[in-house]
Amino acid sequence: MGYGLAGAPYFCLTICLLPVFLQGLEILDPGEVVYVRTVTKGVVGRSVMLECGTTLPDIYIWGFTLPGDDHIRAVVYNFGKGPKLQKLATSLGELSVISDSSSLLIDRLPLFAQGLYTCQALYDTNEGALVYYYYVRLLVLVPVTKPYILLSDSSPVEGTPMWMRCRLENGTGPIHYIWERENFNGVISEFNVGNISLMNITGVTRNHTGWYRCLARNEVNQQRSDRIWLDIIFGPDSPHIDITPYSVTERGFSALERETVVLLCKASSNPPSLYVWFYNNSQVYIGPQFTITKILRMHTGYYSCLAQNTYLNTRSKTTITLTVYYPPDGSPTCNIFPGNNYTDLALWCSWMGGHPQASLYWTGADDLSGQGQSQTNATLMQPGSKTTDGSTFTCHGSHVTLNSSASCNVTALPPPGDPQCSAYATRNNEYLMLSCSWEGGTPRALLSWVASNGAPQGSSEENANILVLRSSATYSGKAFVCTTKHPLSPVNKRCILKLEAPVLVTQRSIVSVYEGSDVQLTCVLRANYPATEITWYNNLRHMVWDTPRKYQLHNEAAWSNLTVRETDGMQDSGQYWCSATNAVGGAEIPITLYVRKYPVPPNVTISKIVYNSRKRTEVDLEWTTATAGHLTGFFMERQRTLAAEVKVDSGLPWQKVVADLAPELRSHTLRGQDPATLYAFRITAVNHRTVGHPSEVRTPADPPFTAYPAVIGAAIGGMLLATILTVLLFLYIVRNRNNNRREYHPPWSSAARH
Ligand SMILES: *[C@@H]1O[C@H](CO)[C@@H](O)[C@H](O)[C@H]1NC(C)=O
Ligand SMILES: *[C@@H]1O[C@H](CO)[C@@H](O)[C@H](O)[C@H]1NC(C)=O
Ligand SMILES: *[C@@H]1O[C@H](CO)[C@@H](O)[C@H](O)[C@H]1NC(C)=O
Ligand SMILES: *[C@@H]1O[C@H](CO)[C@@H](O)[C@H](O)[C@H]1NC(C)=O
Ligand SMILES: *[C@@H]1O[C@H](CO)[C@@H](O)[C@H](O)[C@H]1NC(C)=O
Ligand SMILES: *[C@@H]1O[C@H](CO)[C@@H](O)[C@H](O)[C@H]1NC(C)=O
Ligand SMILES: *[C@@H]1O[C@H](CO)[C@@H](O)[C@H](O)[C@H]1NC(C)=O
Ligand SMILES: *[C@@H]1O[C@H](CO)[C@@H](O)[C@H](O)[C@H]1NC(C)=O
Ligand SMILES: *[C@@H]1O[C@H](CO)[C@@H](O)[C@H](O)[C@H]1NC(C)=O
Ligand SMILES: *[C@@H]1O[C@H](CO)[C@@H](O)[C@H](O)[C@H]1NC(C)=O
Ligand SMILES: *[C@@H]1O[C@H](CO)[C@@H](O)[C@H](O)[C@H]1NC(C)=O
């Protein structure tokens, strides 16, 4: 540009000056001046060479024009006597002329040396003088200094506008700017290559985060700025929740009970998010990773992660549903129920308690394998007619929480044997109970009672059915039928009960027996249902219990013996009853017992009764009977008496002295009598239990008198007083002997009448 401004005056000046400098020089054709224009660039502080032709001219002059100035001033000239530097040259840096040339060398080029340098050169050639004008435009270039980055905001919030400027102190334009960004991975990328020093961003994003550098370049050099960190504040984004182990269902996430579940929350944010965990809206944990060790079914619910940007005081939240799966209890339960009115088998399987519900299916059914698939419980209908006894069916259960499946088995079986019927009555025969049972089948059999006329009785029951009827004689002779139904029993089984009132019979309705022996009364029970027992009533109409001394009972199902022990003619004769009562009636029959006495034994007469010595310690007895036979023995009795030779019962008690004398005996000696006491004696014959009339009462007589000297001798023997008393007593007895005999009364005259 300087050309246009300085060209004309500069040219004029040179023309004017030249004649002065070129004395003696022939200018052939002054109009033929050659103009050469060049541009030389120098860098401030360094050296630059300004050329003025390639060969040394004969005469040259260098002029300098400041930019924007129209004055040209001489710097150096050489009119053939060596270069002459002007004052001006010293102000243009270290300016020198290269020897043997007209070129200028400027060392340590100052900035103000920039301008238009003009070299007017004259060459003396054979063809004449040649004038050259060299216009050398010197551009002093300044290297770029180290740039730096200016940020409108070093921590802008995402979405807001910002700018970045690359600034430098010095540097000759045009300056190219290159922006470099280094991301987290250290990868450097260039962008906005060009001369743009300003990056104006209307909305920053987190992607702008990074290290920034700018590079400034001009013709001379290039420089990089220090890197600067651009921190974009943002977030938190909507949190993302990661669940380990990962399992998704239609209603959210699921976990297996007792597992360890890790909930990890991630929400992009700068500065990093603060995380808070909520379970069903109550805070449970602070931190990004919430770990539940051994999760339980009660931990099912809503889990929320709240992310907070504490710098921006912004927050965002994500909620998930977590369902804890747990296995069902125990193992599946199998059963068989009757179906379709006891014609089919309903195979039933259940496995409760798990979440989600267990899935179940049946196998083993004829052509239905795998069917009946269901949850919680599975029922499969299997026709009874197509099923053989003992068929086993298996129900398989599986659950998401269990890796092995569980199963249960059922076996279809009819109850064993036949139904059993029986009847019994409640106490006092108030109610009649008809029982029917057929137990043990799978499924259980159905039992129903039907009257003989076909009318159903009561309700139908499984396994056992008891029909309760109020006792009534109208049922006697009636039949009741128990019918059964079972899917595996195509023909209905039955059992029949026929109710009958008891019927009693006896072999002998009149029994006679001799007194003292045992007698058996027998009663036989016929046609008795429900079964009952025979009870006995004695001749006094009292119920008979087993009292071993008197009554012995021997009861069997169909008969009963009553033994009456040691029959007594007075007490045991009479009418006995045997009786039996059941719920549909009763019976009673009499048995008459005669207890007979033996014939009365003959009367006994004492023919002799005498002391066999004077000591009176032994009595000899002899007797006779009126008739022979009908006797089994004798017994003897004595009675104290006050007078000798009495023949009547004194009324004092009788004492048995000999119990059973053989029937053939007619004499007996009683020994060990007390001589001091006077007794009367009698003898009675017995025939078994029949006691005869006692004999007359007799006192023993003394032996013949030969006994006196002995008595007296004994008295003399020393016991004088005792002897006198004995003699007195003796005399008294002898004197009163006859008086006593006259007042005798036989003892049985009054006793036999009772
Ligand atoms: C820029 O140039 C000016 C004047 O030319 C000078 O004073 C200054 O030192 C230079 N700055 C740098 C950083 O070189
Ligand atoms: C920058 O470059 C553009 C074109 O790329 C140009 O138009 C503009 O003049 C240049 N500016 C400078 C100062 O060099
Ligand atoms: C950036 O650009 C916007 C719109 O284009 C303008 O309003 C704003 O002044 C610019 N900022 C700078 C520093 O140039
Ligand atoms: C950031 O960059 C990624 C990948 O280059 C892009 O998917 C995403 O949309 C960018 N984010 C923004 C906010 O521009
Ligand atoms: C949490 O919420 C779920 C779903 O409403 C509920 O089933 C569960 O019982 C709740 N848990 C507690 C501890 O309240
Ligand atoms: C069941 O079967 C019996 C015959 O075995 C019949 O009388 C009765 O009506 C049936 N019940 C139903 C509900 O079909
Ligand atoms: C079997 O399950 C069904 C629903 O799945 C239910 O209605 C029925 O009551 C269940 N039966 C038994 C016996 O649990
Ligand atoms: C279930 O599977 C897991 C992993 O496959 C195994 O560790 C565990 O022992 C299994 N449990 C049973 C009862 O088989
Ligand atoms: C069911 O029966 C099959 C064969 O009949 C047998 O292998 C299995 O162990 C049985 N399962 C159970 C639980 O009894
Ligand atoms: C019961 O009495 C009958 C007839 O008297 C008799 O035949 C039978 O042997 C007796 N039974 C017993 C066990 O005594
Ligand atoms: C036996 O004696 C009694 C009374 O002493 C008498 O009544 C009865 O007639 C006598 N019998 C005979 C057969 O003499």
Side-chain angles (χ1 to χ4, degrees):
M1 279 208 199
Y3 294 87
L5 289 169
Y10 180 71
F11 177 73
C12 174
L13 264 175
T14 311
I15 299 297
C16 302
L17 274 171
L18 262 180
V20 182
F21 294 130
L22 302 175
Q23 275 179 340
L25 210 76
E26 191 185 0
I27 295 170
L28 294 176
D29 186 359
E32 293 295 315
V33 174
V34 180
Y35 300 95
V36 179
R37 291 182 172 86
T38 57
V39 175
T40 298
K41 291 178 178 175
V43 175
V44 69
R46 296 187 202 161
S47 302
V48 69
M49 195 168 75
L50 307 176
E51 285 185 340
C52 181
T54 50
T55 54
L56 182 66
D58 295 296
I59 296 170
Y60 64 86
I61 180 165
W62 278 99
F64 173 63
T65 308
L66 276 171
D69 198 354
D70 49 0
H71 300 291
I72 185 166
R73 275 177 278 178
V75 177
V76 64
Y77 66 88
N78 186 348
F79 290 164
K81 294 198 177 138
K84 297 280 190 231
L85 272 74
Q86 302 300 299
K87 276 184 189 166
L88 177 60
T90 56
S91 66
L92 294 174
E94 293 173 15
L95 193 148
S96 59
V97 178
I98 296 168
S99 55
D100 291 339
S101 86
S102 56
S103 297
L104 290 181
L105 179 70
I106 306 175
D107 282 323
R108 303 179 66 171
L109 183 66
L111 191 61
F112 50 79
Q114 176 164 305
L116 181 68
Y117 289 82
T118 315
C119 179
Q120 297 167 15
L122 190 145
Y123 298 90
D124 187 14
T125 64
N126 297 332
E127 289 88 30
L130 286 176
V131 179
Y132 274 77
Y133 270 38
Y134 295 99
Y135 296 103
V136 180
R137 177 163 287 275
L138 175 64
L139 297 177
V140 179
L141 302 178
V142 179
V144 291
T145 53
K146 184 172 177 172
Y148 56 93
I149 296 173
L150 211 59
L151 294 172
S152 63
D153 182 354
S154 65
S155 300
V157 175
E158 190 173 49
T160 58
M162 76 154 300
W163 51 260
M164 273 192 279
R165 197 185 286 277
C166 188
R167 293 282 287 273
L168 44 78
E169 293 279 312
N170 294 338
T172 308
I175 296 169
H176 277 248
Y177 295 97
I178 296 174
W179 289 91
E180 288 175 346
R181 188 162 69 89
E182 183 182 338
N183 67 8
F184 297 103
N185 309 325
V187 176
I188 297 171
S189 54
E190 290 188 353
F191 66 101
N192 266 350
V193 179
N195 56 12
I196 306 156
S197 63
L198 173 72
M199 277 180 54
N200 191 0
I201 305 164
T202 50
V204 284
T205 74
R206 65 197 64 181
N207 286 356
H208 289 116
T209 304
W211 289 107
Y212 282 85
R213 267 198 299 211
C214 77
L215 184 146
R217 182 196 302 164
N218 65 5
E219 269 183 278
V220 183
N221 68 339
Q222 64 178 35
Q223 287 272 20
R224 271 198 175 78
S225 68
D226 290 331
R227 61 181 194 168
I228 190 165
W229 178 255
L230 178 62
D231 198 26
I232 310 292
I233 305 297
F234 63 92
D237 290 352
S238 180
H240 176 78
I241 299 176
D242 265 335
I243 298 193
T244 333
Y246 179 78
S247 166
V248 196
T249 67
E250 67 271 16
R251 269 187 284 115
F253 293 92
S254 70
L256 307 184
E257 198 171 38
R258 313 191 79 76
E259 257 180 355
T260 293
V261 175
V262 178
L263 303 169
L264 182 64
C265 187
K266 270 189 280 186
S268 290
S269 176
N270 186 27
S273 303
L274 179 77
Y275 297 97
V276 181
W277 284 95
F278 293 86
Y279 169 60
N280 280 11
N281 295 324
S282 49
Q283 183 176 325
V284 285
Y285 187 72
I286 294 177
Q289 180 173 312
F290 177 35
T291 304
I292 309 168
T293 45
K294 283 204 173 174
I295 196 164
L296 298 176
R297 60 193 69 178
M298 66 186 185
H299 294 143
T300 290
Y302 301 112
Y303 288 83
S304 307
C305 169
L306 177 77
Q308 271 179 291
N309 184 323
T310 46
Y311 182 87
L312 293 175
N313 200 22
T314 49
R315 57 201 72 210
S316 70
K317 188 165 122 175
T318 298
T319 299
I320 54 137
T321 306
L322 180 64
T323 307
V324 180
Y325 286 168
Y326 49 91
D329 307 326
S331 52
T333 309
C334 283
N335 213 336
I336 304 187
F337 294 108
N340 286 339
N341 204 1
Y342 287 83
T343 56
D344 290 350
L345 301 164
L347 307 179
W348 178 86
C349 181
S350 169
W351 202 12
M352 309 286 282
H355 185 78
Q357 292 171 339
S359 72
L360 303 164
Y361 68 93
W362 279 99
T363 59
D366 286 345
D367 43 18
L368 299 160
S369 186
Q371 280 196 23
Q373 189 154 355
S374 173
Q375 295 190 319
T376 307
N377 64 49
T379 302
L380 174 62
M381 296 305 286
Q382 162 83 357
S385 55
K386 287 190 184 171
T387 310
T388 52
D389 293 2
S391 301
T392 294
F393 305 94
T394 304
C395 171
H396 305 270
S398 57
H399 193 264
V400 63
T401 58
L402 303 170
N403 34 6
S404 62
S405 72
S407 68
C408 58
N409 286 347
V410 279
T411 302
L413 278 175
D418 289 311
Q420 299 298 318
C421 285
S422 60
Y424 51 95
T426 55
R427 254 166 70 92
N428 304 329
N429 287 322
E430 213 171 333
Y431 290 98
L432 183 60
M433 322 262 266
L434 306 185
S435 160
C436 180
S437 75
W438 197 29
E439 296 180 13
T442 316
R444 299 192 281 197
L446 186 74
L447 311 173
S448 322
W449 280 104
V450 179
S452 49
N453 62 5
Q457 304 282 311
S459 57
S460 296
E461 303 286 342
E462 286 186 338
N463 252 358
N465 190 352
I466 294 175
L467 178 64
V468 179
L469 300 171
R470 188 168 270 282
S471 296
S472 164
T474 56
Y475 296 126
S476 184
K478 299 270 167 60
F480 286 85
V481 183
C482 171
T483 65
T484 67
K485 282 207 285 191
H486 191 273
L488 295 181
S489 175
V491 178
N492 294 341
K493 297 200 175 199
R494 54 175 54 207
C495 63
I496 300 172
L497 283 185
K498 194 170 179 206
L499 301 177
E500 273 173 310
V503 174
L504 287 168
V505 291
T506 183
Q507 291 164 333
R508 292 182 299 161
S509 59
I510 297 173
V511 180
S512 75
V513 68
Y514 277 115
E515 186 178 36
S517 57
D518 295 353
V519 64
Q520 266 182 339
L521 311 180
T522 301
C523 231
V524 177
L525 193 54
R526 294 226 175 99
N528 160 48
Y529 201 81
T532 187
E533 282 204 336
I534 293 171
T535 48
W536 288 91
Y537 294 89
N538 66 8
N539 49 346
L540 302 171
R541 276 306 235 180
H542 291 155
M543 194 167 167
V544 171
W545 301 102
D546 205 25
T547 46
R549 282 206 186 141
K550 192 68 199 170
Y551 300 117
Q552 280 181 338
L553 286 170
H554 190 110
N555 284 332
E556 291 289 335
W559 53 264
S560 176
N561 279 3
L562 169 65
T563 305
V564 183
R565 300 281 317 277
E566 294 175 11
T567 47
D568 184 273
M570 305 290 289
Q571 292 168 17
D572 294 332
S573 287
Q575 201 158 49
Y576 287 70
W577 294 87
C578 80
S579 157
T581 306
N582 70 7
V584 294
E588 194 176 50
I589 53 167
I591 298 177
T592 308
L593 175 64
Y594 292 110
V595 180
R596 294 195 309 194
K597 284 182 171 292
Y598 288 95
V600 180
N603 287 357
V604 180
T605 308
I606 297 175
S607 54
K608 177 187 173 188
I609 177 163
V610 59
Y611 290 113
N612 65 2
S613 71
R614 293 279 171 195
K615 290 177 189 164
R616 292 190 168 196
T617 56
E618 294 182 353
V619 178
D620 285 340
L621 276 152
E622 285 176 18
W623 63 90
T624 59
T625 57
T627 55
H630 293 315
L631 73 100
T632 55
F634 301 95
F635 62 86
M636 283 179 193
E637 292 164 299
R638 69 180 186 186
Q639 182 185 43
R640 285 191 66 170
T641 185
L642 295 174
E645 292 184 39
V646 291
K647 292 215 171 172
V648 289
D649 188 345
S650 66
L652 290 171
W654 284 99
Q655 183 190 5
K656 204 170 255 182
V657 284
V658 181
D660 42 2
L661 288 166
E664 61 277 1
L665 285 180
R666 289 297 181 269
S667 64
H668 183 71
T669 301
L670 288 170
R671 300 181 203 282
Q673 299 297 306
D674 178 8
T677 314
L678 191 60
Y679 286 105
F681 293 87
R682 66 183 188 185
I683 300 174
T684 312
V686 291
N687 180 8
H688 296 280
R689 293 205 160 189
T690 309
V691 179
H693 299 285
S695 65
E696 60 183 344
V697 179
R698 294 282 298 274
T699 50
D702 280 327
F705 241 134
T706 54
Y708 268 113
V711 174
I712 293 162
I716 293 164
M719 300 163 72
L720 191 61
L721 183 63
T723 305
I724 292 163
L725 284 173
T726 306
V727 171
L728 287 174
L729 180 65
F730 178 75
L731 291 174
Y732 173 81
I733 292 167
V734 168
R735 228 173 270 154
N736 292 290
R737 221 157 153 178
N738 296 328
N739 304 348
N740 284 350
R741 191 177 293 167
R742 228 171 281 142
E743 289 166 18
Y744 176 74
H745 298 287
W748 59 84
S749 55
S750 59
R753 273 193 298 271
H754 293 294

